[in-house]
Amino acid sequence: MDHNFVSFQLLFPLIFTNMTSSVDVKATVAGGGPSGQSGAIRWGIACGLRSFVSQDMVEKMRIGKIK
């Protein structure tokens, strides 16, 4: 799997919410392949960010697009 693609997948929730320089992420995963692991980390980041963004942004994250 392309390293840049995996990096983008991991960072997408931070990029989407414009919080790439606002939080630090430390994650440990086991099992599965690179795609599944990056998806699990991405999901965890997105869930964690819900505490730091407005309800409006949470709704935008849910549907995956900026209005």
Side-chain angles (χ1 to χ4, degrees):
M1 180 164 275
D2 181 27
H3 183 267
N4 290 330
F5 177 74
V6 172
S7 296
F8 178 75
Q9 287 296 309
L10 292 173
L11 295 176
F12 182 77
L14 297 171
I15 294 167
F16 188 84
T17 58
N18 198 30
M19 295 190 71
T20 54
S21 61
S22 301
V23 297
D24 293 324
V25 176
K26 181 177 179 180
T28 303
V29 293
S35 178
Q37 290 179 347
S38 64
I41 295 170
R42 176 181 169 157
W43 181 82
I45 291 170
C47 286
L49 286 175
R50 292 172 53 170
S51 299
F52 296 98
V53 297
S54 68
Q55 185 61 33
D56 182 52
M57 181 58 76
V58 170
E59 291 301 317
K60 289 177 184 175
M61 289 170 62
R62 184 169 293 138
I63 59 175
K65 60 183 175 182
I66 297 177
K67 293 182 180 180

